[in-house]
Amino acid sequence: MAQPGLSDTRSEPREQPPRRRIRPVHVAGAYTAVGLAWIFISDTIAHGLTRSSTAAFNADVIKGSLFVVLSGVLVFVLASRLVRSADASEKRAEASRRQFEESKRLLEAFSAHCPASMYLVGDDGRIRMVNPRTAQHLGRAPEALVGVGMSELFDPAHAAAVERQHAQILASGNPEMLEEHVRLPDGQLRHFSSFKFPVFEPGGRAVAVGGFSIDVTDTRRAEARYRLLFEHTTSGITINDIGGRYLDVNPEGCRLLGASRDEILRRTAGELDLRQRIDSAGPGSEAAAPDAERSGVMRFRNFAGEERAEDFVAHPLPDGTYLTVFSDATARLREERVRAEYTRALEMLAGDAPLSRILEEIVRTAEQVDPRVRGSVVLLGDGGRT
């Protein structure tokens, strides 16, 4: 009977009841006893009929007895060999049976705890074996799925697609890796990454399709969410290999770098006209820890020839690539410069600087905040003089 963890239609070796073994010595002894008795009786009858001498009688008995004894020894040797051969065959059969039982136990344990769906579908399109994970997805007990066809589990279009796919694998004899979108019997749409392969009989004909399928629904949904974030964020994002070659870039990154995605993916970060790079960790930080996370400001001329100032954060990824997030730093740098000018003007006001000098600093700071005020500020001194 199939265990709950594995429903299978394979035949199993049956355990034979122990047989009573006949010992070789018993066979040889019985043969010798019967032979000696036959020699004595037959020679006695012959001696009585022929009236031969006692010496002749004894000679015949001894000759026949020697033959029986020698042949009895031969029977013993042959019987011993046959028994040893039978014992060895039984031991091999027992070892094979135990190996089969152990393999079956391991397969049942593996299939029962395997996180992937495991299944075997015959060339007639009906299920021969499933593990509990498959049964859980399909909403039935493993035993209840044996002999069930695809059309009994899925909608007609998907069932036909699976049957065509299995027929192709059987015909080609080659395994396939694919991603499947499956509408389960409970109505859920799930995504599976599957590996399917043909199973051959001893004659070489493909008689079934085996498969492993892993539910990647959550992974695909997460990828879709992160792809949406990647495409629509207001910061530029690039992924570069260790040599600086661009592997991916989002639309905002294309705008800031001044080129289309196809053009950027053909280039490297080293082709940017880097004017200045200031790491937040200070000078020499890049050489000291090349694989560490870094952040700072870059001033460069992009691929379109535009002067850019960008805040950046570079993250090393486990596969040896780098993810860089960057955004326009122009406004932030201008605000910092204006704040520094205001601080300087206040320091002058608190000191002994002339009033005219302080007013000039205030006007210059205002023009930096808003260039439109340039030339529209008039300073009046005593008496109304400019």
Side-chain angles (χ1 to χ4, degrees):
M1 180 177 179
Q3 299 295 324
L6 183 66
S7 299
D8 197 348
T9 57
R10 295 176 302 173
S11 60
E12 303 176 6
R14 297 180 179 178
E15 183 176 359
Q16 299 293 334
R19 292 181 300 175
R20 187 176 179 180
R21 178 72 66 199
I22 299 177
R23 298 169 64 87
V25 67
H26 294 164
V27 176
Y31 169 82
T32 303
V34 171
L36 291 175
W38 169 254
I39 291 297
F40 181 78
I41 294 170
S42 61
D43 284 354
T44 299
I45 294 172
H47 176 69
L49 294 175
T50 60
R51 304 287 183 179
S52 60
S53 65
T54 303
F57 170 76
N58 291 336
D60 289 341
V61 170
I62 292 172
K63 181 178 65 174
S65 299
L66 287 175
F67 173 80
V68 170
V69 170
L70 290 175
S71 60
V73 172
L74 181 60
V75 168
F76 175 78
V77 172
L78 294 176
S80 298
R81 291 183 178 181
L82 289 174
V83 168
R84 284 196 297 270
S85 177
D87 287 342
S89 297
E90 284 195 1
K91 289 180 180 179
R92 287 194 296 269
E94 178 64 16
S96 177
R97 186 188 66 80
R98 291 180 179 177
Q99 184 178 9
F100 176 85
E101 292 295 335
E102 179 66 10
S103 299
K104 179 184 175 184
R105 185 187 66 80
L106 293 175
L107 178 59
E108 289 174 351
F110 174 75
S111 67
H113 298 92
C114 180
S117 295
M118 299 170 55
Y119 43 86
L120 187 70
V121 180
D123 54 3
D124 59 354
R126 298 190 174 275
I127 294 174
R128 294 188 182 179
M129 182 275 284
V130 295
N131 71 334
R133 177 67 68 178
T134 305
Q136 179 184 356
H137 284 309
L138 298 177
R140 300 191 191 182
E143 295 82 2
L145 287 168
V146 175
V148 174
M150 299 298 104
S151 60
E152 301 174 58
L153 298 172
F154 307 115
D155 62 82
H158 183 68
V162 172
E163 289 171 352
R164 286 194 301 270
Q165 178 190 103
H166 289 179
Q168 179 179 346
I169 294 173
L170 291 170
S172 67
N174 296 318
E176 289 188 11
M177 290 196 66
L178 61 152
E179 188 153 320
E180 300 178 287
H181 308 287
V182 181
R183 180 75 63 181
L184 297 178
D186 62 1
Q188 292 188 68
L189 179 63
R190 309 295 292 182
H191 305 276
F192 292 89
S193 179
S194 301
F195 174 73
K196 298 186 178 183
F197 53 92
V199 178
F200 300 95
E201 65 177 0
R205 187 175 70 90
V207 294
V209 173
F212 297 85
S213 295
I214 299 176
D215 189 344
V216 295
T217 304
D218 294 338
T219 301
R220 294 295 177 262
R221 288 173 179 172
E223 289 174 351
R225 288 194 293 268
Y226 284 111
R227 173 55 63 175
L228 187 65
L229 176 64
F230 181 82
E231 296 291 342
H232 297 283
T233 183
T234 56
S235 297
I237 301 176
T238 60
I239 299 177
N240 301 74
D241 63 16
I242 194 67
R245 184 171 61 91
Y246 289 101
L247 303 177
D248 204 355
V249 58
N250 72 336
E252 181 64 12
C254 294
R255 187 186 71 82
L256 296 176
L257 293 176
S260 68
R261 184 174 186 275
D262 290 341
E263 292 173 334
I264 292 173
L265 295 185
R266 292 195 296 266
R267 311 184 78 163
T268 67
E271 296 180 53
L272 287 173
D273 187 3
L274 183 64
R275 302 303 180 87
Q276 183 184 25
R277 173 174 174 155
I278 304 173
D279 281 351
S280 58
S285 62
E286 182 177 359
D291 58 345
E293 179 178 308
R294 296 189 297 274
S295 62
V297 180
M298 288 189 300
R299 299 179 186 275
F300 61 92
R301 188 188 298 275
N302 68 12
F303 296 126
E306 303 168 336
E307 296 283 347
R308 307 291 311 185
E310 306 288 342
D311 289 317
F312 76 92
V313 179
H315 303 267
L317 299 178
D319 61 356
T321 60
Y322 281 85
L323 182 144
T324 303
V325 180
F326 54 101
S327 58
D328 192 346
T330 305
R332 182 185 63 77
L333 295 176
R334 184 172 64 246
E335 291 175 1
E336 290 180 356
R337 189 168 59 251
V338 169
R339 191 179 301 113
E341 294 294 340
Y342 272 124
T343 301
R344 181 181 176 188
L346 291 175
E347 290 174 350
M348 293 176 63
L349 183 61
D352 298 331
L355 180 60
S356 59
R357 175 65 177 152
I358 295 173
L359 293 176
E360 288 177 1
E361 289 294 331
I362 293 175
V363 170
R364 188 163 63 85
T365 301
E367 290 176 345
Q368 290 179 354
V369 173
D370 189 352
R372 292 174 298 178
V373 304
R374 192 180 302 267
S376 61
V377 178
V378 178
L379 298 179
L380 300 177
D382 295 340
R385 291 174 298 173
T386 60

